[in-house]
Amino acid sequence: MALSNLDKVLYPATGFTKAEVLHYYATIADVLLPHLRDRPVSFLRYPDGPDGQLFFTKNVPPGTPDWVTTAEVPRSEGPARMVLVQDLASLMWAANLVTEFHTHQWVAQDPGEADRLVFDLDPGPPATIVQCCEVALWLRERLAADGIEVYAKTSGPRDCICWPRSAGRRPSG
């Protein structure tokens, strides 16, 4: 697989390059891939960094290698083909596009059954990042009482997102 523009600075404030982004994804692949595997992925692409032009890619991008797994997914306007990031190779290919990964809350084999729920906690007046973290901790404790395991992640400099995953049963209500 060819990786391109490795010296390109994607985050000018820190000087973070595309090579460093790819290294980061390779380093966290064992932790990240279970959350991506079997889930259709949309990409938020920003080839000139987060302050440049950005666009969503929902369908399989032109030039996608044959070895990248894809799946047909239902949409209101009719079925479409989307990428499934299944392994380190497809993760590196996708990260080379300079992307954020936006996953569905269901796996491709069962699009009618969401198996996770996302709480997107964004700070902003009057809430601070500290208050968002406090809410995330409260959510973790509350959902644990219902047997639901929670994973926290950030998706940017100001976000805290909690991904609950059922511990053997679906939440009621």
Side-chain angles (χ1 to χ4, degrees), residues 82-102:
M82 295 182 74
V83 169
L84 302 178
V85 177
Q86 301 293 82
D87 53 29
L88 179 60
S90 59
L91 176 63
M92 293 292 86
W93 166 80
N96 189 57
L97 297 175
V98 186
T99 65
E100 289 178 16
F101 303 106
H102 293 254

Side-chain angles (χ1 to χ4, degrees), residues 150-162:
V150 175
Y151 300 91
K153 78 169 207 62
T154 62
S155 63
R158 303 175 347 140
D159 290 353
C160 178
I161 296 178
C162 300

